[in-house]
């Protein structure tokens, strides 16, 4: 069985459903992996539409898992499709969100810990809780299948209790979870953008030890490149951003508006490509 170590094929998986992310996101992910990992490797994309994907990407159908998606919570619960049987994909896999930017060597994500470990990022929003973050996690295929059974019994109840799928995984993964070494993952908004008011004068930076930059919530890679906080927003100068704080042309509180400014980020444009 391929375990992702000792020279065997390093297996990466991602999931694409609906229309939020187009094939360009998957193709860019494949390109970034290829430039930052020692071959051989394979990227498997589980999707309901493989149109436009690079032919080197292994396209697989979304695993069949019939349940009603929770309606009152914000977690990415469709990711639960990947917790069980993945067909011909077996062994150790590294899951990556489609909107990450790879900034360093990926080999360590397969070498760290034991092959049977379930390893997540440590969520920086809840440091005292030690909750996992599932933008980048490693598992042995099938090990999280018991979570599917818990979830299947009452998806909405599970979502109401845990709020986010990453908390559900952290609390219920068989054998518990481990976390990546500190610094390997960087949260773009929290770790890369300078704190207010320096964000008006300095570009976002890649933290020294970061291997992958994640983009949970607001500000995705295209936004970082453009220098905007919202997908439907526009880039404005620091002076104009401050003017909008006082003239009512803002969509959030005064304090949040003042803090939520990012300059165009050249390194995202340089790295986030096929």
């Amino acid at each position: 069985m391929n375990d992702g170590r000792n020279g065997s094929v390093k297996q990466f998986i991602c999931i694409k459903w609906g229309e939020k992310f187009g094939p360009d996101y998957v193709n860019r992910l494949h390109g970034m992996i290829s430039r930052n990992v020692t071959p051989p490797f394979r990227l498997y994309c589980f999707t309901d539409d493989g149109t436009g994907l690079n032919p080197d990407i292994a396209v697989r159908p979304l695993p069949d898992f019939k349940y009603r998606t929770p309606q009152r919570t914000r977690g990415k619960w469709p990711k639960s499709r990947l917790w069980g049987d993945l067909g011909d994909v077996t062994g150790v896999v590294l899951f990556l969100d489609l909107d990450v930017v790879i900034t360093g060597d990926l080999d360590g994500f397969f070498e760290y810990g034991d092959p049977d470990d379930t390893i997540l990022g440590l969520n920086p929003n809840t440091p005292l809780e030690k909750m996992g973050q599932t933008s980048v996690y490693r598992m042995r295929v099938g090990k999280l299948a018991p979570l599917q059974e818990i979830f299947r019994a009452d998806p909405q109840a599970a979502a109401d209790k845990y709020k986010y799928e990453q908390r559900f995984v952290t609390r219920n993964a068989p054998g518990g979870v481990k976390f990546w070494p500190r610094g390997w993952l960087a949260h773009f908004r929290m770790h890369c953008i300078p704190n207010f008011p320096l964000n008006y004068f300095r570009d976002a930076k890649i933290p020294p030890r970061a291997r992958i930059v994640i983009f949970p919530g607001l500000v995705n890679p295209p936004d970082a490149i453009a220098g905007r906080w919202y997908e439907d927003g526009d880039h404005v100068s620091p002076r104009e951003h401050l003017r909008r704080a006082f003239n009512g042309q803002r969509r959030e509180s005064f304090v949040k508006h003042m803090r939520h400014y990012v300059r165009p980020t050249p390194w995202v444009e340089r790295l986030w490509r096929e």
Side-chain angles (χ1 to χ4, degrees), residues 174-196:
V177 301
K178 294 184 178 178
F179 299 107
W180 300 117
R182 185 177 298 276
W184 280 20
L185 304 184
H187 187 299
F188 182 74
R189 284 184 289 114
M190 298 183 68
H191 300 143
C192 300
I193 300 176
N195 292 329
F196 173 83

Side-chain angles (χ1 to χ4, degrees), residues 2 22 66 75 79 95 112 126 129 136 164 172 184 187 195-196 199 210-211 218 229 235:
N2 175 21
K66 292 183 172 60
K79 285 183 179 181
F95 172 87
Y112 183 75
T126 57
E129 183 186 356
V136 180
Y164 297 95
N172 295 284
W184 280 20
H187 187 299
N195 292 329
F196 173 83
N199 54 322
R211 303 186 181 200
L218 296 173
W229 205 265
H235 172 68

Side-chain angles (χ1 to χ4, degrees), residues 14 41 48 53 69 72 78 90 129 151 174 180 186 194 204 214 224:
C14 65
F41 79 93
D48 53 2
L53 295 185
T69 303
R72 300 191 300 270
T90 61
E129 183 186 356
F151 189 56
W180 300 117
I214 63 175

